[in-house]
Amino acid sequence: MRDLLPTAFPVHGTAAGPALCCFRLILAVALLWKITADHVYGMARFFDLHPKSLVRWRYERDDMAVKVLLSPTAFKVFYVVRAVAVLCLLAGVLTPLAAGVVAAWCMFEFTFDRKFNILFLGMMCVPFVFASGTDAYLSLQTLLDAPSLTAFLDPARAAGPGGPSWPQAVAVVLMFQVYWSSAWFKAASRQFTSGDTLQKMFEQLASLRDELPPGRREYYFPDWFTRRFATADPSLVARRWLLPSLATIAVEAALPLLLIFPATWPAGALLGLLTHAAFTTLLPKRLVPFGLASVGTYVLFLPQHAFVTLIGGLL
């Protein structure tokens, strides 16, 4: 079995390769978007004691949470360090250390803000802790060394002789799990497959729209959409969301299979882009980093030569 594994799933060491370097850049942009939005919404004060923030007050009383209570000073130090780590990840400087710091922050943040997208971003940092050569393409050093912008963007300059590294393969396996587990849980939910989940979500967003200040809104749909797909008779609206709900399950189940084969990768990438664009319109502030990082993983499904050819054709 051990002898057959390299033939069935050929991975080569830890060398990042240009596709993983490209994903490093996309993931860092997604993280930078997230931490900037979090800062605007006051995350730097989440663990304050005088006055005590609402987040800390709720966190202390949450019996279900795994509490890692930090002092306000320790929280702010960790807060600044993770911002520096995101910038290092963006520049390809000390990438394994930076990725480890960001992953640790995401795990910590998940203890007081249990959202899937936070856990997802942290998990996607983990392969970079073990990958080598993540600064060989699209990094600050290659930008300084490149004789031109075209040379900086050309992945052929950083392409290695082998196939994907095992950190890249791990990221691909994680995306299989993300899509298939999401499809499984949706398919097993009668509330989702009936359209009732989307009906209730849009109804709630519409009801809160006028109560939130303009900078905090996540609902920007026109009145005709609200009347037809949110605030009309709940049973009627649920039936209107039935087909989109079933289509979401089918797309999430099919996406990894479409992406893993080079012949169907373009169709899978286009379908994934459209799907995540649709998700992002629902909750744009919350889902932009998740959608960007998810779509960014698509380059990891390509064989190295196919990625080099794809980017080379765009230059």
Side-chain angles (χ1 to χ4, degrees):
M1 182 67 179
R2 187 173 59 185
D3 295 335
L4 292 175
L5 186 59
T7 302
F9 197 63
V11 295
H12 302 269
T14 64
L20 195 60
C21 293
C22 180
F23 176 60
R24 186 208 79 239
L25 187 67
I26 297 171
L27 178 63
V29 170
L31 287 162
L32 187 60
W33 180 298
K34 180 188 182 308
I35 67 172
T36 301
D38 290 342
H39 185 76
V40 170
Y41 295 136
M43 182 178 274
R45 300 187 298 274
F46 275 10
F47 271 50
D48 284 0
L49 291 172
H50 306 291
K52 184 175 290 186
S53 71
L54 176 61
V55 170
R56 180 152 193 155
W57 183 85
R58 293 174 60 186
Y59 190 38
E60 290 174 350
R61 286 157 178 77
D62 187 353
D63 294 333
M64 298 298 293
V66 177
K67 297 182 180 66
V68 188
L69 289 171
L70 301 179
S71 70
T73 300
F75 177 81
K76 287 183 171 63
V77 169
F78 198 4
Y79 185 85
V80 172
V81 169
R82 73 90 161 83
V84 174
V86 168
L87 294 176
C88 288
L89 195 63
L90 184 70
V93 175
L94 299 175
T95 301
L97 176 61
V101 169
V102 177
W105 170 270
C106 290
M107 298 305 109
F108 165 64
E109 184 179 340
F110 187 73
T111 66
F112 63 86
D113 188 12
R114 295 192 291 275
K115 294 185 176 69
F116 167 76
N117 57 324
I118 296 171
L119 189 61
F120 170 76
L121 292 170
M123 291 175 63
M124 281 301 165
C125 289
V126 173
F128 292 101
V129 176
F130 303 98
S132 59
T134 52
D135 60 346
Y137 179 54
L138 297 180
S139 67
L140 177 61
Q141 188 61 53
T142 59
L143 178 63
L144 296 175
D145 294 341
S148 65
L149 180 60
T150 301
F152 168 69
L153 297 173
D154 184 8
R157 293 166 55 90
S165 62
W166 70 258
Q168 179 175 339
V170 166
V172 169
V173 171
L174 283 174
M175 285 310 298
F176 265 86
Q177 187 275 332
V178 167
Y179 281 127
W180 280 358
S181 63
S182 178
W184 172 265
F185 282 112
K186 288 183 174 70
S189 169
R190 293 185 62 184
Q191 188 176 20
F192 189 88
T193 55
S194 68
D196 188 55
T197 295
L198 291 177
Q199 181 274 321
K200 282 183 168 55
M201 184 185 74
F202 276 92
E203 184 180 37
Q204 181 186 39
L205 290 172
S207 67
L208 295 174
R209 175 177 55 177
D210 296 331
E211 299 179 22
L212 297 174
R216 300 294 181 107
R217 293 178 184 171
E218 290 241 32
Y219 193 88
Y220 301 98
F221 296 101
D223 290 338
W224 66 264
F225 181 94
T226 299
R227 289 192 303 269
R228 184 170 178 82
F229 294 101
T231 59
D233 177 71
S235 60
L236 178 61
V237 175
R239 287 198 296 273
R240 290 171 179 164
W241 283 113
L242 175 60
L243 184 58
S245 298
L246 297 177
T248 299
I249 296 170
V251 167
E252 289 184 338
L255 266 177
L257 296 176
L258 292 173
L259 292 168
I260 201 67
F261 297 106
T264 56
W265 184 89
L270 178 60
L271 186 60
L273 281 169
L274 294 175
T275 300
H276 282 284
F279 290 164
T280 303
T281 60
L282 306 182
L283 297 168
K285 292 185 177 67
R286 186 185 308 174
L287 291 183
V288 164
F290 169 70
L292 184 59
S294 297
V295 171
T297 64
Y298 294 175
V299 299
L300 304 178
F301 286 79
L302 284 170
Q304 182 171 270
H305 66 86
F307 175 79
V308 171
T309 301
L310 174 67
I311 303 301
L314 299 175
L315 297 178

